[in-house]
Amino acid sequence: MPSYEALFVIKKLSNPEVAKILKRTALKIMQNNGILFGIENLGTRALPFKIRSHGNHYLEGSYFLMKFDSSPTILPTLADEYRRDVDIIRAGFVRSLPESDYQCTLEEETKPAAYRKDVKAMVDEGRKKERIFDMKTGLKYNPWKR
C-alpha cells in the first residue's frame, strides 16, 4: 500500500472539540482499511486568504498532518467524506515518496565546481554532439538552422 499524507485545516476550536474531530477523521481512515502512522499538530495560524466553507467565512484555522498507508481507491471516498464534514475547512492528500539515501560528504562539496563529479557530468552532457538532421528530406544538415 502506498503512503500518503493528509493535511487538514480545521476550524479554530477548543482542545476537546479538536480531539473529537481528529478522532473522527482518523477512524474514517481506519474504517477504510488504512493504517495510521501519526498525527502532527502544525499549529493554529491565520489562513493565507479568507476561505468560505459550509456557508461561513474563516480567517484562522488549526493545521494537522496525518501520515497513513491505504489503497489509492479509497482516497476519493475519504475526500468526499472530509468535504462534507462541517468542522473541516480544507483537506488535501499527497502521496509521500520514500526518502532516498543520499550520501553527502563535506569533502566533495568543498571542491571547486570544475572538480566535482556532478558538475563534470553536466558539462559532458552539454558537449554531446548534435544529431544529424534527417526529417525525411535526405539532407545531412538542417536547412533552417544557421
Side-chain angles (χ1 to χ4, degrees), residues 1-144:
M1 286 193 285
S3 297
Y4 293 97
E5 292 181 352
L7 179 70
F8 297 102
V9 181
I10 298 174
K11 294 193 294 189
K12 185 178 176 184
L13 299 169
S14 64
N15 286 344
E17 293 172 342
V18 169
K20 287 179 187 176
I21 295 168
L22 290 175
K23 183 178 179 181
R24 187 171 63 227
T25 56
L27 283 175
K28 287 179 185 176
I29 291 172
M30 289 187 269
Q31 287 170 352
N32 288 306
N33 299 326
I35 302 169
L36 189 65
F37 289 112
I39 300 173
E40 188 177 340
N41 183 359
L42 302 177
T44 301
R45 306 179 194 179
L47 298 174
F49 49 88
K50 183 168 53 172
I51 297 178
R52 185 172 182 266
S53 177
H54 302 289
N56 296 324
H57 295 282
Y58 298 99
L59 298 174
E60 284 186 321
S62 300
Y63 289 76
F64 290 92
L65 182 73
M66 287 189 183
K67 296 180 181 180
F68 64 97
D69 282 356
S70 73
S71 170
T73 57
I74 69 158
L75 289 182
T77 306
L78 289 175
D80 185 48
E81 288 182 17
Y82 295 146
R83 193 178 307 113
R84 288 186 280 126
D85 194 331
V86 182
D87 296 323
I88 298 175
I89 299 172
R90 287 275 168 96
F93 300 96
V94 177
R95 184 173 181 182
S96 59
L97 299 174
E99 294 182 18
S100 62
D101 294 331
Y102 178 73
Q103 297 295 328
C104 179
T105 60
L106 183 61
E107 229 176 84
E108 181 71 23
E109 295 296 323
T110 56
K111 288 182 183 176
Y115 296 107
R116 285 189 281 192
K117 293 177 186 174
D118 56 344
V119 175
K120 284 183 181 180
M122 286 191 288
V123 169
D124 290 340
E125 184 180 331
R127 289 184 179 161
K128 287 184 180 175
K129 293 182 180 178
E130 280 190 43
R131 294 188 327 189
I132 296 175
F133 181 79
D134 185 25
M135 194 186 289
K136 298 184 181 180
T137 60
L139 299 174
K140 297 289 182 188
Y141 66 94
N142 187 345
W144 297 284

